[in-house]
Structures are given as structure tokens and as C-alpha cells.
Amino acid sequence: MAPNTLTLIFLLSLAVFSITNVTKGSDPDILTDFVAPPGSNSVDGTFFAFNGLRYIFDSDTPATFNVSKASMKEFPALNGQSVSYAVLRYPSGSVNPTHTHPRASELLFVVEGSLEVGFVDTTNKLYTRSLQLGDMFIFPKGLVHYQYNADAKNPATALSAFGSASAGTVSLPATLFNTSIDDTILATAFKTDVATIQTLKAGFAAKA
Ligand SMILES: *[C@@H]1O[C@H](CO)[C@@H](O)[C@H](O)[C@H]1NC(C)=O
Ligand SMILES: *[C@@H]1O[C@H](CO)[C@@H](O)[C@H](O)[C@H]1NC(C)=O
């Protein structure tokens, strides 16, 4: 084979390798049907059922924005299955602050009320939408996003499905202003002064 052909084959295999790596967008594959809890010899149907969200249907809308998760932590049978759920409840005027899920995309489904949603891609382009009852929205994996219930009177509820048993959440306000990142570093990063950073940090202080 001519060197050019070899180079071409090499480049093609490199391309195929990177594509398969990029498209591997889910949790690691398991080599068993499911992952039983450590030390258990057998499980039955109860292991695969989760009733930790029943209370949502018996309780009123919470006073502040509330997330109830059914991820691997709450529901161990999800380990290795690459899926999880969350129920998001928004009293009128509340926001799910800007955050990302490092390990999963999120498919949100509005089951009560309406929501203003948006995400920002890696070129800093903002995509927004007003969602009505019955609408869905996909937040791509790892990108910063939010949801806001702009309705002055009515609560909203959404179900979110995640492409990971443990999607993880990085909340930008808390990550930036409720950790111990140095005030001067934050002030420089945000092109502001230390007093402004301290005001932002004070918003997270435990309420007396
Ligand atoms: C959401 O509501 C549940 C049940 O009332 C509560 O246990 C949980 O702590 C709340 N979560 C947040 C983030 O407030
Ligand atoms: C801020 O961080 C502390 C310590 O991790 C935590 O207990 C507290 O709930 C956080 N406050 C808010 C408003 O997230």
C-alpha cells in the first residue's frame, strides 16, 4: 500500500475512534442484568420499586422551589441503568437557579402550570422558550440552564428525566458564592470589588 493509503486508513480509524468516544454519552455499561446491593444474595421486586415520591401527591405546593430526586442515591436499583428522575415544584415567581448536570442531559416535561426555560451553549448563545402545560424541553448535557415560573398566581410542576443514574448538580450561585473561593479572586473574575462579592456571599449565610 502506498504511504498515502496508510495515512488515510490511520486518519479514518482515528475519526471513527473519536466519534465512538464522543457518542458514549451514558453511564458505564454493566456486565450483569442489574447491580444488586453489596452483600445481598438475591433481590425481589421490591428492589426495583421506589415509593419515595408518593408524598408529592399528598402535599401542597412548597413555599420555595423544591426538587425531589429519584436518582441512584435514593433508588439504588438505578445503578448501572443510566436513567433517573426528579420532580420539580415551583411556587409562583420561583426559580430553579442557573446550574448544570455534569453527567447527563435533562428532558423536562411540564405537568402543571407554565415555565420560562433557557440554557447557554459553549459559544455563550442563549436559547429560551416559554413552556405550557404538556410541553417538553431538552437541556443538553453539561450546559448551564434554569427554569422560572413567571406566573404571578399559579404554581408549576415538572418531571425531569436524566440520562444518568447520577446526573449530579452544580448550582452556579452556590458553587461560586457559597464556597470558600477567595473574595479577591472572585472580585477580579467578575470585574467588581470585594464588597460586592461579600454581599453576594452574604445571601447564603444561614438565616438566624
Ligand atoms: C423538598 O420537600 C421535601 C418534602 O417536604 C423536603 O424533605 C426537602 O427537604 C425539600 N427540599 C428542598 C431542597 O427544600
Ligand atoms: C451554604 O453552604 C453551607 C455549607 O456547605 C450549607 O450548609 C448551606 O445550606 C448552603 N446554603 C445555601 C443557601 O445553599
Side-chain angles (χ1 to χ4, degrees), residues 118-192:
F119 74 87
V120 180
D121 73 10
T122 57
T123 70
N124 274 347
K125 179 173 175 184
L126 173 68
Y127 302 79
T128 63
R129 196 75 184 147
S130 296
L131 302 180
Q132 301 304 310
L133 182 65
D135 292 354
M136 281 195 181
F137 195 83
I138 179 79
F139 298 101
K141 181 174 176 174
L143 299 183
V144 171
H145 61 278
Y146 63 85
Q147 298 105 29
Y148 173 57
N149 178 9
D151 192 304
K153 291 205 184 88
N154 300 302
T157 304
L159 299 180
S160 275
F162 298 90
S164 167
S166 182
T169 298
V170 174
S171 172
L172 296 195
T175 293
L176 292 165
F177 302 113
N178 196 29
T179 52
S180 301
I181 302 178
D182 183 84
D183 290 352
T184 305
I185 293 172
L186 288 173
T188 310
F190 285 91
K191 299 182 169 53
T192 185

Side-chain angles (χ1 to χ4, degrees), residues 34-48:
F34 52 84
V35 181
S40 79
N41 294 326
S42 70
V43 296
D44 63 16
T46 57
F47 176 64
F48 300 96

Side-chain angles (χ1 to χ4, degrees), residues 7-63:
T7 311
L8 191 66
I9 290 172
F10 174 72
L11 287 176
L12 276 178
S13 20
L14 204 65
V16 169
F17 177 75
S18 18
I19 288 166
T20 42
N21 262 338
V22 165
T23 52
K24 219 187 273 171
S26 60
D27 294 352
D29 260 338
I30 53 174
L31 301 177
T32 49
D33 295 345
F34 52 84
V35 181
S40 79
N41 294 326
S42 70
V43 296
D44 63 16
T46 57
F47 176 64
F48 300 96
F50 180 65
N51 58 25
L53 296 183
R54 279 184 188 172
Y55 74 89
I56 285 171
F57 297 92
D58 304 329
S59 56
D60 295 334
T61 308

Side-chain angles (χ1 to χ4, degrees), residues 60-67 88-95 156 207:
D60 295 334
T61 308
T64 55
F65 167 71
N66 184 284
V67 189
L88 307 139
R89 291 179 294 160
Y90 315 78
S92 125
S94 67
V95 69
K207 299 200 171 52

